[in-house]
Structure formats: C-alpha cells, structure tokens
C-alpha cells in the first residue's frame, strides 16, 4: 500500500527536501507504509530513505534527522486509512442504545488498536489479525487499553456475541509476555460478570503482572432506548457496595504483594453505594481518570490546591453559573462553597441537569444534551456567564450530542458560555474567577 501526502509544513524537513502535496509515500527505509503506526514507527530512524511517487514518477529522498524530529508530512486522516469498525454486538453497547435521527458519526462503533495507542480508547482485541498482533509486538506499542469485561472465555462470547471473543483473550498474554503495558476495563453488568465472575477475572488479570498497569471496574450505562435489547439493569446500592468490597479486597492484596493497588472502581460505584470517595493516596497516579476512576478526588484536590494558591482580589465581585450532570452536582456545589468561603463576593450557582434525553439513569455530565441544558435553565435565574465541562461537547468543541451548538445555547439563554476541562480543578477555578 501507499499513502497520499495531503500537505507539507513550510520550512519542515520534507519541505526542504522538495516533497510536495500530491506526492505518494510508498515506503520508509524499504518498509511499506500502510497507516499511521507504520509511519510513526519507521520515521524514528535518524537516517531515512523515503520512496515516493511524484507526478507519476518514482523517486527517493535521503535525509538525516534527530530521532524525535517530525518530517512535516500531512495526510488526509490521522490513521491514513479507514478506522476499524467493531465486529461485536455487546449486550451493554452504548451505541445500540442511541435513539434514531442523530448525526451519523455517533453510530460508529470503534474497535481500533491504533486509536488505543493514539487517543487512549479501549479495544476488545477481536478485530486483530495475526499481522496486527505481531506488529504491535514488533513495534512495542505501549500502552494498549483493552476492554476485557471478563476473563471467562465462554462468558465473554455470550456478553460480546462474538464467537472469537473468548479465544482473543490469549492475545492479552502474548502482549504481556512481550512487555507491552496494558490498561484494562471491566464493564460490569449486575448478575452477569460481577460477584464470583469478577473475582475470577481479577485473579486471572493478576497473572499478567507486571505488564498490567491498571484494572478499572465500571458499571454498565443504560439509556431508556433499549427496545429489543438484552434485559439489563443498573446497580442497587447494596450491589455497588459488594462490588467495591471485591475490588478493594483484591487491591489491598496486590498492594501488599506488589506495592501497587492495580484495581479500582469507578466513582459511580461509590456514588451509587452512598460511600465516600477514597483519599488521594488510594488512586496512586490516577491511571484511569478518563474511565471515571478517581475523577472526583482529583478534581477536589486540584481545585483546593489552586484555591489555596489563588491571589484573587477579595473586594472583586463575580457571578457565574455552572451546569453539570446529576452525578457531579454535589461535588461542584462543594467546590463553589469553598470559593465563597474564601471570596465572599464571588457567587457561583450550580445547576444539575437531569438527562431527559437518554433517561434519568444516565447521570454523567458527558451525556447532557443541549436541549436539556436549555429547557432546564431557561426558566431559572442564572448569571450572564455559564460554565460547562468540555465533555458535554464533541471533540471539535462546537456541538452537543443532539447537534445543538454553543451559539444556540448562548442565544436561547442569553449567556456567554465558557467551556472548562472537566478533569482540571485549576481550569475550573480560573473560569469561575476570570
């Protein structure tokens, strides 16, 4: 295969060597370039020979560079070819719980190991060919984030509705034996892969140490759009407490044996159980923040530190509103109370947005829609500045899940919207005081 060069950065190595948009990159040091992993791996060499086709004629470009230098080549997509679609039909798949009529990209099921390396997304391993596995090992791609769900092969087949899902677990051991670092997640469904099955999965994953870096236990997320889908339910407080007990018991044993806790429950389990979020030392280096593991604690600690270090003028008035999901509401209220205690003239009103769109069992801020935001704030008195977490918007930062834009919200509510990093206590405080 080969890839089309769509652009060349000015004054870059490639530009100085005369490579132009429209040229086709065939190989680097005789290695065929099929996608971004090939490209990134092979251009690390300090001495390169690029085989290209320019205006229908083959040519070679020889160059020297430092290992970390970028060539300045641009391509039509970050993957250089199509993203790999998931071949599973998981009983808990969130995409299957989406209503009709939304933008097409929301229905795409990603299961691409390259996305795991590039952007931290989780893969099931069922899409990998022998060539893919060998390449991951050869390139020592690390870390790889894996959606395991269960280490019971038969149960994994049933949960993912893919006859190869069980046998693919052997890939985990191959990657671990090769020294590839692995972050894993277990999406837990009540009565299916928790309890004794969870204990078994944890014990089997322990055998992959030291390659296993972390294990996240995450509760299944269910919307109201589950017609003709397998019967699933959310966790009861008692079941959430039992799950935390299993994971924490395992974690304590690992901490004693290996010096690392290894396994963690997502914050949602603690909120459901009505239990306090663990202290900062519990989460070690926060290996799975993006999975909602330790997000509360990290935000609280960062925010508190930033507030202590703040030198905001105490005689300056500020009034802002903050919108968030039901789950994060108590934490945001607590943070804003800390601000008002230090700066009495700063008022921050927090509004919890119930998820009428997906159903009230969905409580995370990242699934709040623009229409719910507008409808629930329109009749309430709010400040002229509205702060929302970045997770409410797609990656481009311009629209909500229901295609309502930031401009739509600003116009409907007569506010100026500020978007803050959902994981950064420093940025949140800055937006409140700015």
């Amino acid at each position: 295969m080969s890839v089309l060069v769509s652009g060349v950065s000015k004054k870059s190595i490639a530009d100085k060597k005369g490579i132009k948009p429209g040229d086709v990159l065939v190989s680097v040091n005789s290695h065929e370039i099929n996608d971004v992993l090939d490209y990134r791996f092979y251009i690390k060499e300090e001495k390169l020979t690029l085989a290209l086709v320019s205006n229908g004629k083959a040519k070679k470009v020889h160059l020297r560079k430092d290992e970390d230098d970028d060539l300045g080549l641009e391509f039509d997509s970050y993957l250089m070819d199509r993203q790999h679609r998931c071949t599973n039909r998981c009983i808990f798949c969130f995409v299957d719980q989406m209503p009709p009529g939304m933008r097409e990209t929301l229905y795409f099921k990603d299961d691409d190991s390259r996305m795991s390396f590039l952007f931290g997304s989780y893969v099931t391993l069922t899409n990998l060919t022998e060539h893919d596995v060998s390449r991951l090992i050869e390139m020592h791609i690390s870390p790889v984030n894996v959606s395991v769900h269960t280490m019971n092969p038969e149960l994994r087949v049933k949960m993912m509705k893919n006859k190869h899902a069980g046998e693919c677990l052997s890939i985990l051991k191959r990657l671990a034996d090769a020294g590839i670092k692995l972050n894993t997640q277990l999406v837990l469904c009540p009565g299916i892969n928790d309890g004794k099955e969870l204990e078994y999965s944890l014990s089997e994953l322990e055998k992959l140490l030291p390659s296993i870096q972390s294990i996240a236990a995450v509760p299944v997320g269910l919307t109201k759009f589950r017609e003709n889908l397998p019967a699933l339910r959310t966790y009861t407080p008692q079941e959430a407490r039992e799950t935390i007990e299993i994971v924490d018991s395992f974690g304590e044993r690992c901490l004693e044996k290996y010096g690392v806790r290894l396994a963690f429950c997502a914050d949602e389990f603690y909120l459901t159980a009505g239990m306090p979020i663990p202290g900062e030392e519990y989460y070690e280096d926060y290996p799975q923040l993006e999975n909602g593991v330790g997000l509360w604690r990290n935000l609280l600690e960062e925010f508190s530190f930033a507030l202590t270090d703040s030198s905001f003028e105490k005689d300056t008035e500020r009034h802002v509103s903050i919108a968030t999901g039901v789950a994060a509401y108590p934490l945001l209220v607590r943070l804003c109370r800390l601000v008002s205690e230090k700066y009495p003239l700063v008022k921050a009103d927090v509004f919890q947005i119930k998820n009428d769109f997906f159903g009230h069992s969905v409580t995370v801020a990242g699934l709040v829609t623009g229409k719910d935001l507008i409808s629930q704030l329109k009749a309430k008195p709010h400040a002229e500045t509205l702060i929302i977490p970045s997770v409410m918007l797609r990656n481009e930062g311009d629209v909500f899940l229901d295609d309502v834009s930031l401009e739509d919200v600003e116009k409907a509510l007569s506010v100026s919207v500020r978007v803050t990093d959902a994981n950064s206590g420093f940025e949140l405080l800055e937006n409140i005081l700015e």
Side-chain angles (χ1 to χ4, degrees):
M1 285 184 65
S2 55
V3 289
L4 179 70
V5 176
S6 61
V8 179
S9 300
K10 289 184 178 181
K11 298 182 180 181
S12 65
I13 296 173
D15 185 35
K16 292 175 182 178
K17 286 293 183 176
I19 301 175
K20 305 292 184 184
D23 288 354
V24 176
L25 177 63
V26 178
S27 66
V28 175
N29 286 353
S30 299
H31 297 288
E32 187 179 75
I33 301 300
N34 296 297
D35 62 19
V36 66
L37 292 191
D38 289 336
Y39 178 72
R40 287 197 176 186
F41 183 70
Y42 292 119
I43 67 166
K44 283 187 173 292
E45 297 290 330
E46 295 182 358
K47 184 178 180 182
L48 300 178
T49 297
L50 277 57
L52 302 110
V53 175
S54 181
N55 294 321
K57 297 182 179 179
K59 73 173 185 179
K60 290 188 176 181
V61 173
H62 304 280
L63 59 92
R64 290 181 179 273
K65 55 180 272 302
D66 291 335
E67 180 180 340
D68 295 327
D69 284 348
D70 182 62
L71 298 184
L73 296 180
E74 300 170 3
F75 306 93
D76 285 334
S77 74
Y78 45 79
L79 291 176
M80 299 186 185
D81 70 348
R82 292 183 179 180
Q83 193 170 339
H84 296 165
R85 182 180 291 273
C86 182
T87 58
N88 308 311
R89 293 180 295 118
C90 296
I91 60 174
F92 51 80
C93 179
F94 196 86
V95 176
D96 290 340
Q97 302 178 71
M98 300 281 280
M102 305 186 76
R103 62 178 178 269
E104 186 178 348
T105 53
L106 294 176
Y107 300 102
F108 183 83
K109 298 181 182 182
D110 159 47
D111 195 14
D112 198 319
S113 58
R114 299 168 299 178
M115 298 292 286
S116 174
F117 174 64
L118 294 171
F119 301 108
S121 58
Y122 279 74
V123 295
T124 66
L125 306 179
T126 58
N127 253 345
L128 297 186
T129 64
E130 177 56 35
H131 171 75
D132 293 328
V133 177
S134 297
R135 185 171 69 155
L136 287 174
I137 292 173
E138 177 192 357
M139 295 180 175
H140 205 76
I141 298 297
S142 198
V144 175
N145 300 328
V146 184
S147 291
V148 176
H149 308 317
T150 176
M151 288 294 284
N152 178 337
E154 293 182 1
L155 180 57
R156 197 169 195 253
V157 168
K158 292 178 180 178
M159 291 188 68
M160 299 172 68
K161 294 187 177 181
N162 183 324
K163 63 182 181 180
H164 301 296
E167 63 193 53
C168 288
L169 289 173
S170 63
I171 297 174
L172 273 177
K173 187 174 188 313
R174 291 180 61 187
L175 295 177
D177 288 345
I180 305 295
K181 298 299 182 183
L182 301 166
N183 294 309
T184 60
Q185 71 170 356
L186 306 168
V187 174
L188 300 181
C189 303
I192 297 177
N193 61 332
D194 55 359
K196 293 296 183 182
E197 289 290 349
L198 173 59
E199 292 176 355
Y200 174 77
S201 293
L202 292 172
S203 65
E204 288 298 298
L205 287 171
E206 181 186 356
K207 296 176 182 178
L208 301 181
L209 281 167
S211 286
I212 290 286
Q213 292 189 137
S214 63
I215 306 167
V218 183
V220 62
L222 304 177
T223 78
K224 63 184 180 182
F225 302 102
R226 289 198 58 82
E227 187 176 354
N228 299 321
L229 293 177
L232 294 176
R233 59 178 177 81
T234 56
Y235 274 86
T236 66
Q238 178 59 32
E239 289 170 334
R241 286 191 287 271
E242 291 170 356
T243 300
I244 293 171
E245 184 178 342
I246 290 173
V247 174
D248 277 358
S249 176
F250 173 81
E252 289 294 333
R253 182 162 56 82
C254 287
L255 192 60
E256 185 176 343
K257 289 176 65 176
Y258 313 112
V260 292
R261 185 171 294 277
L262 197 63
F264 310 85
C265 278
D267 295 357
E268 191 174 345
F269 271 118
Y270 291 94
L271 299 177
T272 300
M275 295 173 61
I277 301 293
E280 187 173 29
E281 69 285 347
Y282 174 92
Y283 292 103
E284 297 173 348
D285 59 349
Y286 293 100
Q288 297 225 22
L289 268 181
E290 296 301 325
N291 243 334
V293 176
L295 189 60
W296 264 56
R297 177 56 59 187
N298 182 66
L299 191 62
L300 175 59
E301 296 296 330
E302 278 195 0
F303 191 90
S304 300
F305 179 83
L307 185 60
T308 300
D309 200 46
S310 171
S311 57
F312 185 73
E313 295 292 337
K314 290 195 174 185
D315 59 351
T316 303
E317 294 186 16
R318 284 285 187 275
H319 185 200
V320 299
S321 294
I322 302 173
T324 187
V326 172
Y329 174 75
L331 174 61
L332 269 294
V333 170
R334 179 178 177 182
L335 298 182
C336 290
R337 189 179 297 122
L338 293 175
V339 174
S340 63
E341 288 173 357
K342 182 171 183 177
Y343 301 118
L345 297 182
V346 176
K347 183 181 180 183
D349 303 316
V350 184
F351 296 95
Q352 63 174 341
I353 307 300
K354 294 181 179 179
N355 207 312
D356 294 328
F357 187 87
F358 284 111
H360 290 179
S361 63
V362 176
T363 61
V364 295
L367 294 174
V368 168
T369 63
K371 289 178 181 176
D372 280 348
L373 187 67
I374 292 171
S375 66
Q376 294 178 42
L377 289 185
K378 201 170 183 70
K380 296 179 180 178
H382 51 263
E384 294 181 356
T385 298
L386 175 65
I387 300 172
I388 64 170
S390 56
V391 291
M392 285 186 183
L393 305 170
R394 69 175 179 177
N395 289 337
E396 290 80 359
D398 54 348
V399 296
F400 295 81
L401 279 169
D402 55 355
D403 285 337
V404 172
S405 69
L406 282 177
E407 291 76 12
D408 293 334
V409 172
E410 290 181 325
K411 183 177 180 180
L413 298 177
S414 298
V415 296
S416 172
V417 177
R418 292 181 188 169
V419 180
T420 187
D421 183 349
N423 296 340
S424 174
F426 298 102
E427 189 170 318
L428 175 59
L429 180 63
E430 182 180 336
N431 275 292
I432 292 174
L433 299 180
E434 186 177 282

